[in-house]
Amino acid sequence: MEYVIIAIVVVVVAAAGFLGAGVARTRRAKMARLPPSSTTGETATLPNPTETVAPSIDSPTQALPIPAPDVEAPDLEAPALEMPEPTANRLIRLRARLARSQSTLGKGLLAVLGRDRLDERAWEDIEDTLLQADVGVASAGEIVQRLRERTRVLGTRTPGDLRALLSEELVAAIGADTDRTLHTFPHADAPAVVLVVGVNGTGKTTTCGKLARVLIADGHSVVLGAADTFRAAAADQLQTWGAKVGARTVRGAAGADPASVAFEAVRMGTEDHVDVVLVDTAGRLHTKTGLMDELGKIKRVVQRQGPVDETLLVLDATTGQNGLTQARVFAEVVDCTGIVLTKLDGTAKGGIVFAVQRELGVPVKLVGLGEGADDLAPFEPKAFVDALLG
Amino acid sequence: MFDTLSERLEKAFTSLRGKGRLSDADIDATCREIRIALLEADVALPAVRQFIGAVRERAGGAEVSKALNPAQQVIKIVNEELVEILGGETRRLRLAKSPPTVIMLAGLQGSGKTTLAGKLGQWLKAQGHTPLLIAADLQRPNAVTQLQVVGQQAGVTVFAPHPGTAEGGISGPPGDPVAVARDGVAEAQRRMHDIVIVDTAGRLGVDTQMMAQAAAIRDAVDPDETLYVVDAMIGQDAVTTAEAFRDGVGFTGVVLSKLDGDARGGAALSVRFVTGTPILFASTGEQLSDFDIFHPERMASRILGMGDMLTLIEQAEASFDADEAQRMAGKLATGTAFTLEDFLEQMMALKKMGPLSNVLGMLPGMGQMKDQLAQVDDSDLDRTAAIIRSMTPGEREDPKLINGSRRARVARGSGVSVFEVNQLVDRFFEARKMMAQMAGSMGLPGARRSNRKNARKSTRGAKKGKKGKAVRGPTAARVPAGLPPGMGGMAGGGMPGQPMPDLSKLKFPKQ
Ligand SMILES: Nc1nc2c(ncn2[C@@H]2O[C@H](COP(=O)(O)OP(=O)(O)OP(=O)(O)O)[C@@H](O)[C@H]2O)c(=O)[nH]1
Ligand SMILES: [Mg+2]
């Protein structure tokens, strides 16, 4: 019977071989179609720029290799523009929001740690509670192991001491003195470029909007690049955010080449001397090689004009163990420099970031705490863990 | 990637070959492995606990069968339990006696409701219904626009009286989703739509205000079905959230979304476990047609990380001549004896198994490779077959013969470009090399066995009872690069003399 299976596998492998060639071919063909830096005949077939080009933008040059994007300038007089909340207050709200979802995690752990005897059962309970926060089998095992050793060595007994010890372990596991600076400082002659990536529905567009707002609050000028040309109304969504926070949005027609839109956003940002360009990309499952290639290309094309300063992977806190696989593949394709952990305002704990930190060393830099424009805060391990432990 | 449950159990059981009945210690060790496997598949802990209880009970009483080794037997039990919990059989959508049937969608932010509305609309339309989509997500920026576009793609009418949160709408009065939903149903009645699908904003279980709003929408439209849409990638929070939606809105069915990824989808089990509500549909991609009825057996195998091997094997049996296949495998092992003629035969047998995409969909954990393969369609097979058929028997026997002028002739004969012929020939040589390697790693007679030896060594090191890393052996070494992880555990060396009638045997390597 094994032979039957092998026979299938044979054909599949062979087919994969042919196909592999086929894919490479179509991909190459596609690349060739893209007009990265020189003019090609393609421009004609691409959708024309719409008439809604805002007057405040210098007219795009005729020689544009890419479809001149539809640029929307925010109406700065519009009363809809709200004043961003100072970032300093946010951490306080972060703690409150995290506490709102008051985890059984903290309570359960402390109940266990408060027992007079730490038997096998107790340690298992500790591990279970970590597992319920999506920390994952391997990371949870490690944390418990270390905690065990330290309680033994230190002879810790009181719940207070144990809590402190556990908190320390968790902070250490997430990276106590990891550099979490967001690199959004403009270069001498070019804007800082931030690329926002992730699987579908994690909160990329929302994060772009919120981040733009933080930057603007800090006195930076921002251009948004709507490189999600695939999902219905994705560019509109980003543009609505842009208008709300006072950032201009560069977009292409539906189905346009996302790399071209990203390139154009950065080009415009450079031309207009803005400080930061935020590029929102389409959600894509890390298993879709075609789409991951597309993402790699977006980054490469943008890099023709200068470095990408931050590549932020947006992870949804509700994500389970698959989050690690996501991070692994995205890191491989676009070399992520930071994680944005969203939807922490819910009951999910986002424990998968422990595994991501452990295996990939990509630090969490920002957290999303709601759908509001100000619901984004810098990640602080101590606050995160404290809030987690209640 | 995670080891599959079958691999884990193989390791746990290496020490107990030949025993008549599983001892308590064996069962403990087994349950530990099952627990880890389920947790890594994101099954929520409470569900894991109960599940293990059930397995423990059944495994304890079970006589070890002669046909199956203990690992296989436990997996069989685990699989059966999983399928049972996941639903046994699938339920169909309940339609109202007097139309319109109202379907309401609910779920967390980003779970895939709006896309699902379009998919469901298209699917129902294809069945002769006239659905109306109602845009009651006035929260997320441009969710209404998104539904309008999706509706247009599906060829389904969208009722969107309020623009929701959009650039133009920011300063306007905030919309009332309850009113929109209510008006939508009235509109459907007026315009003779027999089904309405209400898209609602994503919300958190802890957001009491938003949950109250969802309940108000429900009361306003009195849905025949409320579908809870849950992302297949969700982790332990699946239980808490499902409970919150059950208590806050109540739902009659579950839809699992983003199943086209490689998440194991343990959430299916968690949600089923806490709510008992059947899973009706699976959403499997970004295209509107990527939508299917939920299949519990496929989900069970997926959670266990084994693909839908049983079905595959059944189909393979029906399509392949066993002796023929055996002869083929022998050729493979030697590397060079496998000819284009053989390849053609195998390809035709594969074709008999049904659409290629279905067959590939059943292979376990193929990851990236699967995604590539998904792009081969049956016409590619036909084209390839046409090329081979344009070759002389001699050429098929020895593809090295096919020189420049012969290639041109073959291309003309099969109506393809010379480039394609070149590619076929080149890839054939490459594929053949790969096959020989693979045959080696699978322990086919005549092939190199080094890989198997490694695998055995790694299992010996794994003592039962140890958790975490210690239990995992190196998986990478076992299969040549490019092979899906699940494959390693699938086709074992095959112990001579073992009775073969049991199909599940195929899944488990015997060493
Ligand atoms: N509660 C909560 N919701 C959030 C947060 N961040 C984003 N969301 C919501 O999650 C949903 C998806 O967010 P998007 O920003 O559209 O996600 P995306 O990754 O751009 O989605 P795609 O482009 O479709 O892949 C929206 O309903 C957001 O309002 C957060 O921190 N907390
Ligand atoms: Mg988006």
Side-chain angles (χ1 to χ4, degrees):
Chain A
M1 258 319 268
E2 276 89 349
Y3 301 110
V4 177
I5 293 296
I6 289 171
I8 299 172
V9 172
V10 161
V11 177
V12 166
V13 167
F18 298 125
L19 193 261
V23 165
R25 194 174 14 148
T26 36
R27 224 181 267 147
R28 241 175 280 127
K30 234 194 258 157
M31 294 277 249
R33 237 181 338 103
L34 293 166
S37 56
S38 63
T39 41
T40 68
E42 279 298 306
T43 328
T45 63
L46 285 163
N48 274 332
T50 62
E51 306 80 84
T52 49
V53 174
S56 64
I57 308 291
D58 314 85
S59 59
T61 55
Q62 275 343 71
L64 260 185
I66 14 210
D70 166 9
V71 178
E72 287 289 327
D75 185 357
L76 289 172
E77 282 116 319
L81 204 61
E82 304 143 25
M83 240 357 253
E85 182 194 20
T87 41
N89 292 341
R90 291 185 182 193
L91 270 183
I92 300 164
R93 278 197 311 125
L94 156 68
R95 290 189 194 106
R97 287 258 169 116
L98 284 172
R100 185 170 84 181
S101 64
Q102 209 355 306
S103 51
T104 44
L105 175 63
K107 282 191 203 134
L109 281 180
L110 292 183
V112 170
L113 294 172
R115 288 181 195 172
D116 27 290
R117 232 165 40 85
L118 292 177
D119 54 8
E120 211 44 42
R121 195 45 222 288
W123 289 112
E124 244 166 60
D125 284 350
I126 295 178
E127 191 175 341
D128 282 356
T129 29
L130 287 175
L131 289 173
Q132 278 188 285
D134 288 315
V135 168
V137 178
S139 293
E142 260 177 34
I143 293 168
V144 168
Q145 197 54 43
R146 271 204 305 273
L147 195 61
R148 262 178 112 131
E149 261 153 42
R150 290 190 62 191
T151 43
R152 199 174 44 234
V153 172
L154 300 173
T156 323
R157 261 306 96 104
T158 76
D161 290 351
L162 279 172
R163 188 196 178 288
L165 215 54
L166 174 61
S167 159
E168 248 174 63
E169 279 310 327
L170 290 174
V171 169
I174 196 69
D177 36 43
T178 317
D179 179 18
R180 298 175 199 276
T181 335
L182 206 59
H183 298 281
T184 49
F185 312 107
H187 307 276
D189 51 351
V193 177
V194 180
L195 191 63
V196 180
V197 305
V199 301
N200 311 75
T202 52
K204 293 173 294 300
T205 308
T206 310
T207 298
C208 282
K210 293 173 182 174
L211 187 54
R213 180 143 149 134
V214 173
L215 291 167
I216 288 169
D218 287 352
H220 295 288
S221 50
V222 175
V223 160
L224 295 172
D228 181 354
T229 55
F230 175 78
R231 209 208 64 200
D236 298 330
Q237 188 188 347
L238 186 69
Q239 192 170 317
T240 299
W241 269 105
K244 196 166 165 180
V245 303
R248 156 194 315 165
T249 303
V250 175
R251 52 183 297 180
D257 172 38
S260 304
V261 176
F263 182 91
E264 187 54 19
V266 176
R267 199 191 62 76
M268 287 238 168
T270 313
E271 210 173 82
D272 294 355
H273 304 289
V274 301
D275 301 324
V276 188
V277 176
L278 298 177
V279 179
D280 180 30
T281 63
R284 63 199 78 225
L285 288 179
H286 53 286
T287 48
K288 316 243 159 168
T289 39
L291 293 178
M292 292 310 286
D293 286 349
E294 175 190 275
L295 185 64
K297 202 191 95 187
I298 293 176
K299 184 163 185 183
R300 282 194 306 278
V301 167
V302 166
Q303 279 169 330
R304 294 216 182 103
Q305 296 175 80
V308 170
D309 300 86
E310 284 283 357
T311 303
L312 297 176
L313 172 67
V314 181
L315 276 184
D316 183 329
T318 56
T319 311
Q321 300 310 299
N322 196 244
L324 178 59
T325 319
Q326 290 170 25
R328 208 182 277 146
V329 178
F330 274 96
E332 205 172 283
V333 175
V334 285
D335 190 17
C336 304
T337 55
I339 306 277
V340 183
L341 188 60
T342 59
K343 308 188 194 175
L344 265 181
D345 47 328
T347 38
K349 305 300 178 302
I352 191 62
V353 294
F354 286 98
V356 172
Q357 173 68 39
R358 171 178 171 270
E359 190 181 309
L360 301 168
V362 182
V364 185
K365 291 192 169 173
L366 298 165
V367 291
L369 291 152
E371 297 183 85
D374 290 322
D375 297 339
L376 183 78
F379 180 80
E380 237 191 53
K382 189 76 171 73
F384 175 71
V385 167
D386 278 352
L388 222 68
L389 293 179
Chain B
M1 271 299 258
F2 313 124
D3 292 345
T4 63
L5 181 57
S6 51
E7 284 173 304
R8 289 185 171 286
L9 291 182
E10 275 299 327
K11 286 169 197 163
F13 282 117
T14 32
S15 59
L16 50 96
R17 299 254 180 261
K19 277 190 210 164
R21 191 185 283 271
L22 299 182
S23 71
D24 283 351
D26 297 335
I27 292 173
D28 279 350
T30 314
C31 288
R32 247 193 309 270
E33 294 302 325
I34 298 172
R35 178 173 170 278
I36 294 176
L38 292 178
L39 284 170
E40 288 194 334
D42 286 324
V43 180
L45 198 59
V48 173
R49 288 210 191 99
Q50 174 174 319
F51 184 81
I52 294 210
V55 170
R56 189 184 287 274
E57 209 162 285
R58 275 188 62 180
E63 184 81 28
V64 169
S65 93
K66 292 209 178 62
L68 303 176
N69 71 30
Q72 292 164 0
Q73 196 165 4
V74 174
I75 298 224
K76 195 163 151 255
I77 293 173
V78 170
N79 192 52
E80 282 167 10
E81 286 288 319
L82 266 180
V83 172
E84 199 179 306
I85 296 188
L86 287 175
E89 62 195 87
T90 41
R91 181 168 77 72
R92 303 182 139 252
L93 268 185
R94 260 195 309 257
L95 300 183
K97 286 199 194 74
S98 54
T101 299
V102 178
I103 302 172
M104 175 175 162
L105 307 181
L108 289 176
Q109 290 97 339
S111 57
K113 292 173 293 301
T114 308
T115 313
L116 180 80
K119 291 180 178 183
L120 206 51
Q122 190 179 57
W123 187 75
L124 288 167
K125 188 183 170 209
Q127 296 179 8
H129 295 286
T130 50
L132 176 71
L133 309 186
I134 300 182
D137 177 356
L138 308 181
Q139 186 95 357
R140 210 205 65 200
N142 297 89
V144 172
T145 335
Q146 186 188 350
L147 189 71
Q148 280 168 328
V149 175
V150 158
Q152 199 178 20
Q153 286 166 355
V156 171
T157 319
V158 178
F159 179 72
H162 193 280
T165 308
E167 205 177 339
I170 293 177
S171 38
D176 175 8
V178 181
V180 168
R182 190 187 301 117
D183 296 351
V185 175
E187 169 84 0
Q189 251 150 1
R190 240 188 337 267
R191 311 251 161 172
M192 313 294 263
H193 291 283
D194 65 342
I195 298 186
V196 298
I197 300 166
V198 187
D199 181 28
T200 65
R203 63 201 76 223
L204 293 170
V206 282
D207 192 333
T208 43
Q209 208 180 331
M210 285 296 281
M211 288 309 276
Q213 183 202 71
I217 297 177
R218 176 202 62 203
D219 293 343
V221 301
D222 186 21
D224 300 281
E225 292 273 13
T226 304
L227 300 182
Y228 173 58
V229 185
V230 60
D231 189 325
M233 296 180 280
I234 194 173
Q236 298 287 320
D237 194 47
V239 164
T240 323
T241 309
E243 278 169 347
F245 275 86
R246 177 196 61 196
D247 301 343
V249 208
F251 51 87
T252 57
V254 176
V255 180
L256 269 184
S257 69
K258 305 181 200 170
L259 268 171
D260 47 330
D262 60 358
R264 286 283 161 76
L269 190 62
S270 314
V271 173
R272 217 14 233 201
F273 164 78
V274 281
T275 66
T277 316
I279 303 169
L280 300 187
F281 300 107
S283 192
T284 54
E286 293 185 82
Q287 303 300 327
L288 289 182
S289 54
D290 297 333
F291 175 74
D292 198 3
I293 305 271
F294 177 75
H295 297 285
E297 328 75 45
R298 282 190 207 165
M299 199 61 220
S301 313
R302 178 178 180 137
I303 292 174
L304 295 179
M306 300 193 297
D308 199 4
M309 288 309 294
L310 278 179
T311 321
L312 182 64
I313 288 160
E314 276 164 24
Q315 289 184 358
E317 252 201 338
S319 315
F320 284 82
D321 178 331
D323 294 339
E324 186 57 23
Q326 184 147 356
R327 191 181 61 83
M328 210 61 78
K331 281 186 166 190
L332 266 182
T334 61
T336 49
F338 189 78
T339 67
L340 273 169
E341 181 72 46
D342 298 329
F343 177 59
L344 183 63
E345 271 173 37
Q346 296 302 299
M347 210 163 51
M348 290 300 110
L350 184 69
K351 256 198 85 168
K352 268 195 279 174
M353 288 175 62
L356 200 55
S357 55
N358 289 359
V359 176
L360 297 174
M362 286 183 285
L363 288 171
M366 295 191 53
Q368 298 209 333
M369 189 179 180
K370 187 145 124 194
D371 196 49
Q372 279 200 341
L373 287 169
Q375 294 173 45
V376 198
D377 57 37
D378 298 283
S379 69
D380 289 328
L381 288 190
D382 289 338
R383 242 198 6 257
T384 310
I387 299 177
I388 301 177
R389 290 209 173 97
S390 300
M391 297 172 182
T392 65
E395 287 167 348
R396 293 183 210 179
E397 212 54 46
D398 183 7
K400 287 208 182 75
L401 286 178
I402 313 174
N403 59 19
S405 63
R406 284 177 187 233
R407 286 179 191 206
R409 191 204 74 236
V410 171
R412 243 177 295 126
S414 51
V416 300
S417 66
V418 178
F419 177 73
E420 274 178 278
V421 178
N422 285 344
Q423 210 150 42
L424 179 104
V425 175
D426 292 350
R427 301 303 298 194
F428 175 77
F429 287 123
E430 255 170 65
R432 197 160 72 173
K433 230 186 287 165
M434 227 163 122
M435 289 174 216
Q437 274 171 10
M438 203 165 69
S441 71
M442 284 179 173
L444 278 182
R448 286 163 293 126
R449 299 227 164 192
S450 54
N451 286 330
R452 292 187 65 219
K453 237 180 261 154
N454 287 343
R456 199 174 323 163
K457 216 180 285 161
S458 76
T459 41
R460 202 182 298 139
K463 288 213 185 74
K464 45 175 185 159
K466 264 203 207 153
K467 276 190 201 173
K469 276 200 322 205
V471 182
R472 300 186 187 171
T475 37
R478 226 166 305 153
V479 264
L483 255 196
M487 295 283 206
M490 178 184 70
M495 199 178 236
Q498 264 253 302
M500 301 287 293
D502 189 82
L503 291 181
S504 63
K505 177 178 185 312
L506 276 170
K507 288 183 284 187
F508 320 112
K510 284 212 75 193
Q511 278 139 0

